[in-house]
Amino acid sequence: MSAAREYGLDEDYEWARPPEGGWAAEDLDRLPNLPPHTELIDGSLVFVSPQTRFHMHTLRLLERTLLEQVPDKFDIYREFTVRLDKRNRPEPDVLVVRADADTGPLQTWLHPDDVLLAVEIVSEDSQPRDRQVKPLKYARAGIRHHWRVEQNDGLPVVYVYELDPATSTYVPMGIHRDQLKLTQPFPLTVDLAAADRRHR
């Protein structure tokens, strides 16, 4: 059985063939029929699996809480790509972004200089990328704050990192369960235990 038929596609379906040297960041805006949330990592297209209920609830909690507490000079984006360089355009789950980074309704990516915080909610299929590959790339691009969110007994655990500008690497700043209370990148409190409860 061909791969096209296995995925319910016409036998004549043309799979995207990368150019020599791999795809470039701008290709994400030009390639037809890409699945939602396609990322570019080291010149290769990365397709994401369907998200879990944990991922959806955690994403909703973080987006809502950050929107309530973020200073006016910043905005919150969700599932929006960042053009780190020519061969890397990942899509963090949640971003804190300078409010003046908005270039209009047709904007499809952010520059790393506009990103204050990149948050990755780890899924089973994304563990190597979210734990090792992306943090390294975010740090080298100069993104000052990074959170990695893992699942433990159905609730989020947040690993907080801050950039050491001298080494362009992240320094661990803490592991947070039940409640995330920080003064950086701005004062905020997140009730992590509420991830599985509907907002009233």
Side-chain angles (χ1 to χ4, degrees), residues 176-189:
H176 301 262
R177 297 173 175 83
D178 298 322
Q179 184 184 68
L180 174 64
K181 189 165 187 174
L182 300 173
T183 59
Q184 294 294 328
F186 49 84
L188 77 154
T189 302

Side-chain angles (χ1 to χ4, degrees), residues 12-174:
D12 297 326
Y13 181 81
E14 287 288 326
W15 294 96
R17 292 187 176 92
E20 187 175 337
W23 300 107
E26 57 270 16
D27 291 326
L28 285 187
D29 294 326
R30 297 193 296 240
L31 284 167
N33 305 318
L34 286 179
H37 311 298
T38 299
E39 299 181 288
L40 184 73
I41 305 293
D42 293 329
S44 296
L45 299 176
V46 176
F47 308 125
V48 298
S49 298
Q51 294 301 339
T52 62
R53 187 170 64 82
F54 165 78
H55 190 281
M56 177 192 66
H57 283 185
T58 302
L59 179 58
R60 181 173 62 193
L61 171 72
L62 292 177
E63 180 187 29
R64 184 182 70 232
T65 308
L66 286 167
L67 276 169
E68 291 169 352
Q69 300 181 44
V70 69
D72 290 341
K73 63 182 178 179
F74 299 112
D75 197 1
I76 306 302
Y77 286 36
R78 66 178 284 171
E79 301 171 325
F80 203 82
T81 61
V82 182
R83 189 187 191 282
L84 301 180
D85 55 42
K86 181 179 178 180
R87 293 169 46 83
N88 289 281
R89 192 170 149 188
E91 183 181 289
D93 291 301
V94 183
L95 294 147
V96 176
V97 178
R98 287 180 24 221
D100 61 4
D102 183 346
T103 63
L106 300 182
Q107 181 177 5
T108 59
W109 56 270
L110 292 160
H111 191 279
D113 289 348
D114 295 324
V115 178
L116 180 66
L117 166 67
V119 181
E120 293 289 355
I121 302 168
V122 178
S123 301
E124 188 174 345
D125 73 317
S126 71
Q127 286 179 1
R129 293 190 303 276
D130 291 346
R131 291 176 177 171
Q132 299 163 12
V133 177
K134 289 185 182 180
L136 181 64
K137 294 182 182 301
Y138 294 155
R140 287 181 177 168
I143 295 174
R144 290 176 14 211
H145 299 273
H146 172 60
W147 299 350
R148 190 184 83 248
V149 184
E150 302 269 358
Q151 186 263 134
N152 183 46
D153 291 331
L155 292 175
V157 177
V158 181
Y159 295 76
V160 174
Y161 300 89
E162 189 170 332
L163 184 67
D164 177 352
T167 61
S168 295
T169 58
Y170 284 127
V171 177
M173 303 302 290

